Amino acid sequence: SILNGRTVSGVDLGNLTISDAHIKGMTMRKVVALKARVRNVTFENCVFSKVDMRYARFENVAFIRCRFEAVGNPDVVENLADFSYSKMKDVLFRETAIHDGWFAGMDGSGGYILLDTVTDIYGRGSRNGWGTVLEGKNIHFRIRNSHIHGGIQSGSAHSRI
């Protein structure tokens, strides 16, 4: 892929579309990509640092050995890698650090999110008024070989944990 080993920083990518790709070693830092569309993509050893991908659509996407990072104080939601209100259908997080990612209000469209060998999922401090890392509706959460510390919340009767 043209994005392999690249750093994308400080840009607004508007309605970004990525499909049918295997991207290795990419870093996105302070990137805005609202309503991005990502389909049939594997991200491997990538870093998402304070990206804003709210309202994006992810379908058949894998994050393998990736990191979601905050810039500045991680207790401030605006500093996180923000994927909130996205549609995530059939998404895999394997050996991926997602603690500094924000995934609130997601819609799974009846698909699944698989957490495989993820050990850093835990809620934020209640003093900030928010306590989960992953939250959504119509999602089937599947968890394998992971340590979860209260950071997942199902938002409707259609979600399973």
Side-chain angles (χ1 to χ4, degrees):
S1 168
I2 193 169
L3 293 172
N4 285 349
R6 303 277 182 169
T7 297
V8 180
S9 181
V11 294
D12 186 338
L13 298 176
N15 292 318
L16 173 70
T17 298
I18 304 173
S19 61
D20 303 312
H22 190 144
I23 300 169
K24 297 179 181 179
M26 177 193 69
T27 297
M28 290 183 104
R29 181 176 174 82
K30 295 184 179 179
V31 169
V32 176
L34 295 175
K35 299 182 181 178
R37 295 184 185 277
V38 183
R39 186 167 187 255
N40 299 327
V41 174
T42 297
F43 294 100
E44 188 174 347
N45 296 314
C46 295
V47 177
F48 299 88
S49 181
K50 196 183 187 250
V51 298
D52 186 351
M53 294 184 82
R54 290 173 294 155
Y55 304 100
R57 291 177 180 258
F58 296 86
E59 185 174 348
N60 194 29
V61 174
F63 296 94
I64 300 172
R65 291 180 301 283
C66 294
R67 290 190 327 267
F68 294 85
E69 296 180 343
V71 172
N73 181 356
D75 287 332
V76 177
V77 73
E78 290 80 13
N79 291 340
L80 301 176
D82 192 351
F83 291 75
S84 57
Y85 307 105
S86 292
K87 292 186 183 289
M88 290 206 173
K89 182 176 183 183
D90 303 336
V91 175
L92 165 68
F93 295 94
R94 176 176 288 143
E95 299 175 29
T96 291
I98 65 173
H99 177 67
D100 286 338
W102 185 241
F103 299 87
M106 295 183 301
D107 183 346
S109 300
Y112 69 87
I113 291 179
L114 173 60
L115 304 171
D116 184 5
T117 319
V118 176
T119 59
D120 66 345
I121 298 176
Y122 50 94
R124 300 287 179 179
S126 59
R127 69 184 185 282
N128 297 319
W130 44 294
T132 60
V133 176
L134 294 172
E135 180 267 322
K137 63 182 181 180
N138 302 314
I139 300 172
H140 304 283
F141 289 101
R142 298 178 183 173
I143 302 167
R144 181 172 51 208
N145 300 322
S146 298
H147 298 283
I148 311 300
H149 302 282
I152 298 176
Q153 177 180 346
S154 62
S156 78
H158 300 290
S159 296
R160 287 194 319 218
I161 296 179

